Amino acid sequence: MAVSCLPTPRLHSTLTPSRRPSIKSNPPLKPLKPSARTESRGLASPTSVDLNSPPTEYIPFDDHDPREQQPRTFPFVWMQTPEDPLSEPHGARRHLIIRDSLVTNPLRFRSFNAITGSPRDMVSTLKACLHVGRLDRAAAVMQRMNALYKPDAPALLAAHNEYIRQIAWKIVTGRDQHLLANLQKWFEVELRGRGVVPDADTYALMIQAILQDIDIARSNRSLRRYLHLAHEAGVQDELMNALLELLDEQDFGRVTRVTTSQPVSVAATPTPKHDFGPPTAPSNKSNKSNKAPSELPEVRPVDHTLSSLRALKQSLSVFSDPSAVASGDAPKSTPEEIVRQRDIDRQLRMEQDTYESAIEKWRSDDQQLKQRGISSALAQNSFSTMMWDWHQTLEPALQEEIKLANEAEGKDRKSQEDDERCQYGPFLQYLDPGKLSAITIVTCMTLLGTARTGDRGAAISAVVHHLGEAVQNESMAAYVKKAGGPPLRPQRLSGVRSLTAQLRRQTKGVFTMTDDLPDPFNQGLKGYRWSEPVKARIGAILLSKLIDSAKVRVFRKDPSTGETLEMSQPAFVHRFQYGYGRRIGMISMNGAMYDRLAKEPLATSLEQKYLPMLVPPKPWTGFQEGGFLTSSQPLVRIHWSNVQNRNYCMVAAESGDLSQICAGLDVLSKTPWQINGPVFEVVLEAWNTGKAAGSIVPEDDELELPSEPAVKDKAAYTNYLRELRRIRNLKQDHKSERCFQNFQIEIARAYLQETFYFPHNVDFRGRAYPIPPFLNYMGADLCRGLLTFGVGKELGAAGLRWLKIHLANVFGYDKASFEERVSFVDDHRREIYDSASKPLDGQGWWLQAEDPWQCLAACKELRNALESPDPQAFVSKLAIHQDGTCNGLQHYAALGGDSMGARQVNLEPGDRPSDIYTGVAELVQAGVTEDARQGSELAQALEGRISRKVVKQTVMTNVYGVTMLGGAFQVRRKLRELYPDFPQTDAVNSYQAGFYLAKKIFKALANMFNGAHDIQYWLGDCGGRIATAVTPEQMHRIEAAMAGTLREPDEFRKTPTSRGREHGRKAELLAFKQSVIWTSPLKMPVVQPYRERNSDLVHTKLQRITIRNPSFASPVDKRKQLQAFPPNFIHSLDATHMILSALECEKRGLTFAAVHDSFWTHAADVDTMNEVLRDSFITMHSEDIIGRLHAEFEIRYQGCMYMTAVKAGSRVGKKIAEWRTKFSSNSTRRNKVQEVRVKELLLERRRLKLLASQQAEERTEGEAMVTPGSIFEQSEGEADLALDEALEDVTIGSASSARTNKLQANMKLEVGDEDNIGSGATALDDELGILGPHFDDDVNVGSVGSEECDADIKRKATKARKTMKKKVWLWRPISFPPAPKK
């Protein structure tokens, strides 16, 4: 949310009107790092409603919302967080609420003097000009903002503060007296002279500047004046708080000598060294390779990979090249300290600048070839030398472009090209032309030289966006490094706190510390983000210069003479192609480039800095502070466009609400890891043979392309094209997988003798993930087999037993009792010894395992333990896994008190574990057998092919929101994988089999989980109501718009040009903007990000580019909000359980790791960890989670109205239709539906207001009014509501009509109700083509390119249109149905 162009959201808050946001940072964007001062004091509390208090039946609508009177400059609520969030009483829970429904799409004004008309872009341009030293341009932008904004506009003051902050910092660093005089003149003339009222930050920045005046007497006079002005404005306390952050001890002491009768001293504190955690504990050597990486053979590279293997090796050179790390050992350092410092130095080297490394490598390779006497023509056969040539040509071209942009600034009459240069010129100057050149080359080669794009190229819009994003990210890093001074050191913080304590005592409590509030203008990274049009223009100019500069030498034979000819051709080709009814600009590489890529790996990579760490990661202390030592990563993985989600998480992090999340991530991050040396040696040997071994992909895919049919039969040719596409996709997947494994093995080889760590962060639901992308323990079987803990523990009797159970589990014998699994291992001891001793030359028993490489690791570990003198004393590092049984269903069973479902997912004790996948497979097989007996040809083809593997993925993801279409494609893919010979005829094929079996699976699940079905339906119903709701703020603005009294935000002097006609403005106000938001048990706000996307047309030098410009002012995507809510809610509970378990394991001294619902520890500690897992699960579900959620919704969305519908054929539906015919008779034809909806909304709002009046006459008038709402209230209740089609995709399986009607009528169903859902999947019989997204992680099963899928989409759309005619919509005050009882 750009504060400069959008209305600031309002909130429930106890802040006084005099309070303003406080800007605490110097020029760099400071991370949200809570200080001890913040942690030790009580924070300002929001208006929080006791969740035990009964919800108000009706929230009266006043003509003027009282919240309109609250200050609009501070959009957040602060909360006080208990140490244990789960220990709060039910009524003590506070929730973060940001009132942002009035946020609208960005305003635009007319461009003036080459200054963009977008206020948001003005802010970005201002920052860019200040950073690159274009103070004259920055002053022009500020003067334009002075002309647009009213003096009291918060955005204008924030812009002035930013301008003053940058100038003040230049004065501090350069002591420029002329600049200081100009700044003081600006303060008096352009700020105070124009009626802008300074705040505490303005005065603090001016004081910081005037302290640099060489005339001490004049400086003191100015200091006293600014302090006096601050006192008159009533912001002296905030001023002192800001000065604590801005000034050093000496300058702050000077200020205090002016404000107090005696000076205050700050005790000096010795500078502590940065603590990267305890030294690495000495580890057992049993799993380390006896050979150093240099003694092992090289990893055989993939011949045709398009990966960045050479650049990866360059990054890994710190492991093999001692000269790569500077030696700075202190003379009195211990050996442990020397090793630790060396690890820190190597880690910092790995996190160095990727682009500078690329330039240095290109230059070095070119020089080496020239020293060997290789000519330039021959040298261009190497990618490095070719890209060096590009760089040498592109860098001066960019220098010339920047020069032209600067010259355009000084022209009195500017052409259109000059205007464009003025707009993007400042952004190009954040970075030097050399780095811009490297970013352009590396990004384009990475995008166009990947296996996914191939010779087809990529869309211009995509390449331009990635280029602009890359430049923005690097510019952001440069901004922080160049503009800011050193961070606040720990000893300075200590001194400042001591100073503050003394100052409080001396002033007898007059001076009070104020609460730290985030700055909406410069908060974290949000205020710095460039708009999509700016990034598009930056990317387009860089790409156009690359196209002009990059050449490749092409050799061709003359067909007539046979002579080889050499020519220079453009390396990149800009062309157009037609698709989806429009012309699309494409960029692709020269064909000669692809030929060269097939022979030489591409030496560029943007992910080198994100490798496993050699030292413990930094603890998470803020939204941007934690993990890697220098590379900034956010605590929560949020897409840059999800501004609403970012706002919530940043405020929650600053207020301390995410402290439990941070602590849990720290537990995962500081777990040490090592490479399993003996297993790696086997992996390397198997890989270099080029043959398949376990999950290693063979070098030759042995896939043959089908032959084109000789007869041009339409059906045969269609089948040929389908098969051709399938084989090509398999080949591409095969190559991509082998390339990725090549990366993993190369990294493992480099880390062979190291102890390393994985920094973690979370997604928007709270699920934890390792940040390093290539090699981590969340990877597939190969990765997990290569990894062990970095520290070991003696097995003991229990540990030896669990090691055997683990081996049986990874082999696939995991559904027997524990004793049977131990016996299974004892019975196969001969095979286990053979596998451990001769893995590639023996019987290969381990290769039969479900997870072969993990099985091999367990075989070697067990063999080593049994051959040791005392197996129970053997120190084991192997991670033992404890996996949840369909964890989503476990949570649903606990939420719904579903005893039958609990037994299916092992929540109840038993002699042997239940296997829901096998149970579902048996039910499906029974149904298939019955259909086959009745003559179904498809069922007969499936006889004997229904296994646990076929149904597992669909069962597992059903609870996470997979639709019928998604489940069908999962089954189809598994059938093709397990049975390549499955018939592919018109009558029987894998497509039809997928839908047939998916129906059977859904039906089986519906029979098995009643309670889960009820909870899912309730969650989906609540999500649907929220997604179609409008807020009281919106209704107030709509009423003003209808009355003609709506004005643009009063912060502007001039009228914007971008609103269009009045009806368009009203439509934007009426848009449904309410995301489904809830608070996890760990107090993490979860905001669903699913919204519609707007498109903008941007004119660039290359072409006109249509870009998606997402905004949280856009309407929500109702279907996604509704369907994603149940699975995302379960994911948030899943994440809570994992974090609680991690924290408790840490307290008990256990080494812990987790893959969502799979928990890892040493064999000796498995029993303890299991106890922790059970206790954490019970603790969490002992709370009334659904009751809390219901109460939170009542508070968060109180006063909203939502749009629902009744059945058109019902009595109430007919009455509403009859009433509407009369009511809407005077509406205009154009936008009639929208106009009627607005009028009915306001009519219902007025009726409810009158009914809630204290005047009897008004209540009587309200009772006499007839609206669709009043007609509905006289009906039979919610039983008349029409079923939302989107809910059909939400629940487990499909509901019978009886049970659905009961759920619809909000009847309190008990688990085991006789009208359960076992009567069949009738609702799905007619709708096999329901298309909806699969919300489990990042998989989208809807993006399948098949003709059948297109037909299903059309059928679904046709049915949706018909269904709309069977409903009658109406407005109702939002309420939520009672939560299902356990």
Side-chain angles (χ1 to χ4, degrees):
M1 174 179 57
V3 174
S4 60
C5 60
L6 300 177
T8 306
R10 298 188 311 281
L11 50 119
H12 297 303
S13 176
T14 58
L15 294 173
T16 61
S18 63
R19 294 301 310 277
R20 300 185 63 83
S22 178
I23 306 175
K24 301 303 177 196
S25 60
N26 229 351
L29 302 175
K30 295 177 71 64
L32 292 171
K33 182 175 181 179
S35 63
R37 171 162 45 88
T38 302
E39 295 171 351
S40 63
R41 67 169 181 267
L43 299 174
S45 300
T47 299
S48 56
V49 183
D50 190 339
L51 299 192
N52 278 329
S53 61
T56 306
E57 290 297 327
Y58 168 67
I59 305 298
F61 299 97
D62 296 326
D63 285 335
H64 298 284
D65 190 340
R67 286 169 294 193
E68 290 280 348
Q69 306 303 322
Q70 294 184 357
R72 300 181 59 184
T73 57
F74 175 58
F76 306 120
V77 176
W78 291 78
M79 294 167 291
Q80 198 166 10
T81 308
E83 183 176 350
D84 180 7
L86 295 183
S87 65
E88 289 182 294
H90 192 281
R93 180 65 59 93
R94 302 172 185 265
H95 301 288
L96 175 62
I97 301 175
I98 300 177
R99 296 296 184 191
D100 52 17
S101 62
L102 293 184
V103 172
T104 56
N105 287 314
L107 301 172
R108 291 192 65 85
F109 298 85
R110 294 188 184 278
S111 297
F112 177 78
N113 193 24
I115 298 174
T116 177
S118 166
R120 176 184 176 184
D121 288 349
M122 289 182 199
V123 173
S124 298
T125 303
L126 174 66
K127 286 176 176 287
C129 293
L130 291 169
H131 179 75
V132 303
R134 297 302 308 273
L135 301 185
D136 53 345
R137 178 70 172 171
V141 173
M142 281 304 311
Q143 289 168 352
R144 176 60 175 160
M145 295 185 72
N146 274 334
L148 291 180
Y149 285 92
K150 291 184 177 180
D152 59 347
L156 181 60
L157 176 61
H160 274 288
N161 283 346
E162 180 67 12
Y163 180 81
I164 295 173
R165 178 185 7 255
Q166 296 288 352
I167 303 297
W169 186 247
K170 293 180 185 297
I171 294 171
V172 170
T173 55
R175 297 185 70 85
D176 188 330
Q177 300 301 299
H178 178 69
L179 192 58
L180 174 59
N182 286 340
L183 178 61
Q184 289 181 289
K185 181 179 178 181
W186 178 276
F187 177 80
E188 299 297 341
V189 176
E190 297 294 337
L191 196 146
R192 297 187 71 225
R194 290 182 175 268
V196 180
V197 180
D199 65 357
D201 299 297
T202 317
Y203 291 119
L205 292 167
M206 291 302 299
I207 289 174
Q208 182 190 34
I210 59 97
L211 289 176
Q212 312 307 315
D213 195 338
I214 58 177
D215 187 333
I216 301 298
R218 182 174 58 199
S219 175
N220 285 338
R221 286 196 303 272
S222 299
L223 174 59
R224 291 189 181 95
R225 180 171 183 271
Y226 293 140
L227 290 173
H228 176 70
L229 291 175
H231 178 76
E232 285 186 339
V235 295
Q236 65 273 20
D237 291 348
E238 290 89 340
L239 172 61
M240 299 303 294
N241 195 17
L243 290 174
L244 285 173
E245 297 290 346
L246 282 177
L247 305 181
D248 59 20
E249 291 85 348
Q250 182 178 357
D251 285 342
F252 191 78
R254 183 178 165 188
V255 173
T256 60
R257 283 192 291 272
V258 176
T259 57
T260 60
S261 58
Q262 56 181 342
V264 182
S265 62
V266 178
T269 307
T271 303
K273 295 183 178 179
H274 182 74
D275 185 11
F276 292 99
T280 303
S283 57
N284 183 277
K285 302 290 185 180
S286 62
N287 293 99
K288 281 196 173 183
S289 174
N290 294 324
K291 301 178 182 179
S294 58
E295 300 173 355
L296 292 170
E298 291 289 330
V299 180
R300 179 178 178 178
V302 178
D303 291 338
H304 300 286
T305 182
L306 302 180
S307 305
S308 309
L309 190 58
R310 290 181 58 195
L312 174 66
K313 289 185 177 182
Q314 180 72 15
S315 287
L316 297 174
S317 64
V318 296
F319 297 98
S320 56
D321 183 7
S323 64
V325 180
S327 177
D329 301 339
K332 296 184 180 180
S333 298
T334 65
E336 292 80 7
E337 291 174 339
I338 293 174
V339 171
R340 187 161 172 250
Q341 186 59 46
R342 179 172 172 269
D343 289 342
I344 293 173
D345 293 340
R346 290 191 297 164
Q347 179 62 35
L348 293 172
R349 171 66 186 271
M350 285 197 300
E351 295 181 23
Q352 71 179 352
D353 192 294
T354 303
Y355 300 108
E356 291 177 356
S357 300
I359 295 174
E360 183 59 35
K361 186 179 188 310
W362 300 339
R363 181 188 297 112
S364 175
D365 288 355
D366 181 71
Q367 290 176 350
Q368 289 178 13
L369 291 174
K370 289 180 178 178
Q371 289 172 0
R372 290 156 53 187
I374 299 177
S375 65
S376 299
L378 294 177
Q380 264 227 343
N381 289 327
S382 166
F383 264 120
S384 291
T385 56
M386 182 172 61
M387 287 190 283
W388 173 244
D389 287 344
W390 296 354
H391 176 68
Q392 288 184 305
T393 307
L394 181 58
E395 183 177 4
L398 293 176
Q399 288 175 340
E400 180 64 21
E401 181 63 30
I402 292 173
K403 179 182 176 183
L404 293 174
N406 291 335
E407 291 176 353
E409 293 278 2
K411 293 182 179 180
D412 294 331
R413 297 176 64 88
K414 296 181 176 65
S415 64
Q416 183 178 355
E417 188 176 21
D418 290 333
D419 283 348
E420 292 179 0
R421 282 194 169 116
C422 289
Q423 290 178 12
Y424 65 67
F427 298 94
L428 288 179
Q429 298 178 57
Y430 268 104
L431 306 172
D432 62 81
K435 177 168 279 192
L436 282 175
S437 171
I439 292 173
T440 305
I441 295 171
V442 169
T443 304
C444 289
M445 290 298 292
T446 302
L447 290 174
L448 299 176
T450 59
R452 291 190 178 274
T453 58
D455 55 3
R456 296 167 295 180
I460 285 283
S461 58
V463 178
V464 161
H465 168 78
H466 281 88
L467 261 177
E469 188 78 7
V471 173
Q472 176 194 247
N473 293 339
E474 286 300 312
S475 298
M476 190 181 304
Y479 178 84
V480 173
K481 291 178 183 177
K482 180 179 177 181
L488 207 60
R489 299 184 301 276
Q491 74 274 15
R492 179 180 162 199
L493 279 176
S494 176
V496 167
R497 292 175 193 130
S498 175
L499 168 72
T500 303
Q502 295 180 44
L503 192 59
R504 278 203 184 102
R505 288 194 294 271
Q506 291 180 13
T507 56
K508 298 181 179 180
V510 175
F511 177 79
T512 57
M513 296 295 293
T514 58
D515 299 320
D516 293 327
L517 306 179
D519 170 25
F521 176 82
N522 194 19
Q523 180 200 46
L525 303 178
K526 177 171 68 70
Y528 183 82
R529 287 283 177 182
W530 301 345
S531 67
E532 285 299 300
V534 167
K535 288 189 285 188
R537 293 189 180 97
I538 295 294
I541 190 63
L542 293 177
L543 183 57
S544 67
K545 294 299 180 184
L546 178 63
I547 293 173
D548 295 339
S549 304
K551 306 295 181 183
V552 59
R553 285 187 172 87
V554 180
F555 300 90
R556 296 286 185 267
K557 282 190 176 182
D558 190 319
S560 57
T561 64
E563 181 183 359
T564 300
L565 303 177
E566 177 186 347
M567 64 188 73
S568 179
Q569 293 183 352
F572 300 92
V573 181
H574 178 205
R575 55 188 175 82
F576 292 91
Q577 73 178 31
Y578 289 88
Y580 304 100
R582 54 195 178 97
R583 193 173 75 154
I584 303 172
M586 303 292 292
I587 182 76
S588 60
M589 291 194 296
N590 190 299
M593 296 279 291
Y594 290 107
D595 294 338
R596 192 168 297 177
L597 280 170
K599 302 174 183 178
E600 180 184 4
L602 181 61
T604 58
S605 175
L606 299 179
E607 301 290 346
Q608 300 169 35
K609 62 179 70 175
Y610 303 130
L611 292 169
M613 297 182 65
L614 298 173
V615 295
K618 290 192 300 184
W620 283 102
T621 56
F623 188 77
Q624 290 283 155
E625 187 65 25
F628 290 103
L629 305 187
T630 60
S631 300
S632 177
Q633 288 288 308
L635 172 65
V636 185
R637 298 183 178 192
I638 301 174
H639 191 266
W640 63 267
S641 64
N642 296 336
V643 180
Q644 186 183 33
N645 205 333
R646 182 178 293 272
N647 284 343
Y648 269 92
C649 290
M650 290 181 76
V651 178
E654 174 68 8
S655 65
D657 281 358
L658 301 187
S659 59
Q660 298 285 321
I661 297 286
C662 292
L665 290 178
D666 292 341
V667 172
L668 298 174
S669 298
K670 66 185 180 184
T671 297
W673 297 88
Q674 290 177 351
I675 298 297
N676 192 325
V679 173
F680 175 78
E681 293 178 16
V682 179
V683 169
L684 183 59
E685 183 180 354
W687 174 268
N688 285 341
T689 65
K691 299 179 181 179
S695 55
I696 289 180
V697 178
E699 193 169 22
D700 185 5
D701 56 33
E702 299 180 352
L703 294 171
E704 297 293 336
L705 294 176
S707 301
E708 186 173 351
V711 181
K712 297 297 183 181
D713 177 68
K714 182 178 180 180
Y717 197 72
T718 299
N719 290 332
Y720 157 73
L721 292 177
R722 183 184 297 133
E723 185 65 12
L724 179 65
R725 182 170 58 246
R726 187 181 73 86
I727 296 297
R728 282 179 174 173
N729 289 338
L730 288 176
K731 280 179 164 292
Q732 195 65 59
D733 292 343
H734 179 278
K735 183 167 66 174
S736 298
E737 182 64 22
R738 184 162 175 87
C739 292
F740 193 69
Q741 289 181 347
N742 196 170
F743 262 67
Q744 293 172 329
I745 297 173
E746 194 67 57
I747 295 172
R749 185 178 186 275
Y751 281 83
L752 197 56
Q753 299 289 331
E754 307 291 340
T755 298
F756 50 91
Y757 306 83
F758 298 114
H760 289 66
N761 58 7
V762 297
D763 66 8
F764 75 95
R765 302 162 299 190
R767 301 191 105 193
Y769 295 88
I771 299 176
F774 299 120
L775 180 70
N776 61 63
Y777 64 92
M778 282 195 181
D781 171 57
L782 179 62
C783 284
R784 298 184 182 191
L786 285 171
L787 294 173
T788 67
F789 287 134
V791 293
K793 277 194 175 182
E794 292 186 359
L795 284 175
L800 183 61
R801 173 175 176 268
W802 277 113
L803 178 58
K804 293 180 179 180
I805 294 173
H806 173 73
L807 198 160
N809 290 341
V810 294
F811 187 83
Y813 189 74
D814 56 344
K815 301 309 168 189
S817 67
F818 289 145
E819 296 308 318
E820 290 172 339
R821 284 180 246 185
V822 172
S823 299
F824 171 83
V825 171
D826 291 338
D827 295 342
H828 290 84
R829 182 171 296 187
R830 183 188 299 273
E831 290 86 349
I832 292 171
Y833 270 67
D834 178 80
S835 297
S837 305
K838 298 180 291 183
L840 298 179
D841 302 324
Q843 302 173 12
W845 178 78
W846 65 279
L847 291 171
Q848 305 170 25
E850 189 172 289
D851 298 309
W853 290 108
Q854 294 176 77
C855 180
L856 177 62
C859 288
K860 287 181 174 292
E861 193 82 354
L862 182 60
R863 189 271 314 265
N864 293 341
L866 295 178
E867 289 184 349
S868 65
D870 183 1
Q872 295 186 17
F874 177 77
V875 178
S876 173
K877 296 182 180 178
L878 197 67
I880 305 301
H881 312 169
Q882 296 291 284
D883 296 346
T885 303
C886 203
N887 195 245
L889 286 173
Q890 287 183 329
H891 285 292
Y892 271 125
L895 289 173
D898 190 343
S899 57
M900 177 181 177
R903 286 192 296 272
Q904 295 291 335
V905 291
N906 295 310
L907 287 184
E908 293 191 357
D911 295 334
R912 63 183 61 246
S914 298
D915 181 18
I916 184 174
Y917 308 118
T918 300
V920 171
E922 291 173 351
L923 288 176
V924 171
Q925 180 61 64
V928 170
T929 301
E930 177 61 24
D931 291 346
R933 188 179 62 82
Q934 296 180 4
S936 170
E937 187 177 352
L938 181 59
Q940 291 171 357
L942 288 168
E943 276 277 58
R945 300 180 190 260
I946 311 302
S947 64
R948 182 178 184 271
K949 290 183 177 180
V950 171
V951 306
K952 180 177 179 179
Q953 186 181 15
T954 306
V955 172
M956 186 167 49
T957 57
N958 181 275
V959 70
Y960 292 125
V962 71
T963 62
M964 174 62 72
L965 180 66
F969 276 95
Q970 289 173 345
V971 175
R972 175 188 179 188
R973 184 168 55 247
K974 187 60 67 174
L975 285 175
R976 286 183 169 182
E977 176 186 324
L978 298 176
Y979 308 108
D981 59 341
F982 192 82
Q984 297 295 332
T985 65
D986 290 339
V988 177
N989 55 63
S990 58
Y991 178 82
Q992 293 178 335
F995 277 106
Y996 172 76
L997 291 180
K999 282 182 58 180
K1000 297 288 186 184
I1001 294 171
F1002 276 44
K1003 180 179 179 180
L1005 285 171
N1007 281 316
M1008 297 170 71
F1009 291 92
N1010 292 341
H1013 174 279
D1014 298 348
I1015 296 290
Q1016 276 189 315
Y1017 187 96
W1018 182 84
L1019 292 172
D1021 191 8
C1022 292
R1025 298 183 185 210
I1026 294 169
T1028 55
V1030 293
T1031 65
E1033 296 88 352
Q1034 283 180 283
M1035 288 184 280
H1036 178 70
R1037 297 290 292 275
I1038 292 170
E1039 195 170 52
M1042 293 292 290
T1045 59
L1046 178 65
R1047 297 289 181 265
E1048 296 301 337
D1050 54 7
E1051 57 189 353
F1052 293 109
R1053 298 176 187 263
K1054 298 191 176 182
T1055 303
T1057 61
S1058 60
R1059 284 307 184 198
R1061 299 187 178 181
E1062 186 65 19
H1063 69 78
R1065 175 65 172 139
K1066 294 173 185 175
E1068 185 179 3
L1069 289 173
L1070 188 59
F1072 299 128
K1073 299 180 181 180
Q1074 290 294 297
S1075 296
V1076 180
I1077 304 173
W1078 70 96
T1079 307
S1080 77
L1082 290 179
K1083 300 206 72 175
M1084 177 178 177
V1086 183
V1087 183
Q1088 294 200 145
Y1090 315 111
R1091 292 182 179 273
E1092 298 177 3
R1093 292 190 174 186
N1094 301 323
S1095 295
D1096 285 344
L1097 186 64
V1098 180
H1099 295 267
T1100 68
K1101 188 173 182 179
L1102 280 173
Q1103 64 176 63
R1104 290 184 303 172
I1105 297 176
T1106 302
I1107 58 174
R1108 288 184 175 181
N1109 199 3
S1111 167
F1112 82 113
S1114 302
V1116 297
D1117 186 321
K1118 176 190 173 182
R1119 176 173 286 271
K1120 287 185 178 180
Q1121 288 281 347
L1122 186 156
Q1123 293 181 346
F1125 178 36
N1128 283 339
F1129 180 71
I1130 294 301
H1131 277 312
S1132 69
L1133 297 183
D1134 193 21
T1136 298
H1137 176 238
M1138 190 277 291
I1139 293 294
L1140 290 174
S1141 301
L1143 294 174
E1144 183 61 28
C1145 286
E1146 166 77 2
K1147 290 180 181 178
R1148 301 195 187 192
L1150 274 62
T1151 300
F1152 182 84
V1155 184
H1156 303 320
D1157 60 347
S1158 178
F1159 308 95
W1160 301 10
T1161 192
H1162 288 102
D1165 294 330
V1166 171
D1167 288 324
T1168 303
M1169 185 182 71
N1170 284 339
E1171 179 184 345
V1172 169
L1173 297 177
R1174 287 191 295 269
D1175 290 347
S1176 299
F1177 191 89
I1178 292 171
T1179 299
M1180 184 172 69
H1181 283 285
S1182 296
E1183 300 288 327
D1184 185 7
I1185 294 176
I1186 296 298
R1188 283 186 183 273
L1189 181 65
H1190 184 277
E1192 179 181 353
F1193 280 170
E1194 293 286 354
I1195 295 169
R1196 187 178 294 278
Y1197 301 105
Q1198 62 182 340
C1200 293
M1201 299 274 286
Y1202 81 105
M1203 181 180 289
T1204 186
V1206 295
K1207 302 167 188 174
S1210 65
R1211 185 174 62 176
V1212 63
K1214 293 178 180 178
K1215 286 184 177 181
I1216 293 175
E1218 181 181 355
W1219 175 90
R1220 185 166 292 149
T1221 301
K1222 300 176 183 178
F1223 178 77
S1224 60
S1225 58
N1226 296 327
S1227 299
T1228 59
R1229 182 176 181 85
R1230 183 175 183 179
N1231 299 305
K1232 180 176 180 178
V1233 174
Q1234 187 75 7
E1235 184 179 346
V1236 170
R1237 286 181 177 178
V1238 170
K1239 288 182 177 180
E1240 289 191 19
L1241 174 64
L1242 298 182
L1243 186 66
E1244 184 67 18
R1245 169 185 166 92
R1246 174 170 174 75
R1247 185 180 75 89
L1248 295 175
K1249 176 186 173 183
L1250 291 172
L1251 290 175
S1253 173
Q1254 300 297 322
Q1255 302 296 324
E1257 298 81 0
E1258 292 184 351
R1259 290 197 302 272
T1260 303
E1261 181 183 351
E1263 292 169 357
M1265 291 179 64
V1266 179
T1267 66
S1270 66
I1271 295 173
F1272 178 82
E1273 290 172 359
Q1274 298 171 8
S1275 69
E1276 297 179 3
E1278 297 203 354
D1280 287 326
L1281 292 178
L1283 176 65
D1284 192 330
E1285 290 79 16
L1287 284 172
E1288 296 178 7
D1289 291 342
V1290 169
T1291 55
I1292 293 177
S1294 168
S1296 66
S1297 58
R1299 190 172 185 84
T1300 299
N1301 290 337
K1302 284 190 176 183
L1303 289 168
Q1304 190 88 22
N1306 295 320
M1307 295 183 68
K1308 299 178 181 179
L1309 292 177
E1310 302 293 337
V1311 173
D1313 186 88
E1314 293 183 359
D1315 277 324
N1316 62 28
I1317 47 182
S1319 59
T1322 56
L1324 293 172
D1325 289 340
D1326 300 327
E1327 277 194 64
L1328 297 182
I1330 295 174
L1331 180 62
H1334 171 200
F1335 294 101
D1336 188 28
D1337 297 329
D1338 296 326
V1339 182
N1340 189 340
V1341 298
S1343 56
V1344 288
S1346 67
E1347 296 81 359
E1348 296 91 342
C1349 180
D1350 293 338
D1352 287 323
I1353 295 173
K1354 292 177 181 178
R1355 287 197 297 269
K1356 178 65 178 176
T1358 301
K1359 180 174 181 180
R1361 286 193 296 269
K1362 293 180 179 179
T1363 304
M1364 286 300 296
K1365 298 179 181 180
K1366 300 178 181 178
K1367 295 181 180 179
V1368 177
W1369 57 267
L1370 72 153
W1371 293 102
R1372 297 188 62 216
I1374 197 166
S1375 62
F1376 298 96
K1381 299 297 182 181
K1382 290 188 179 183

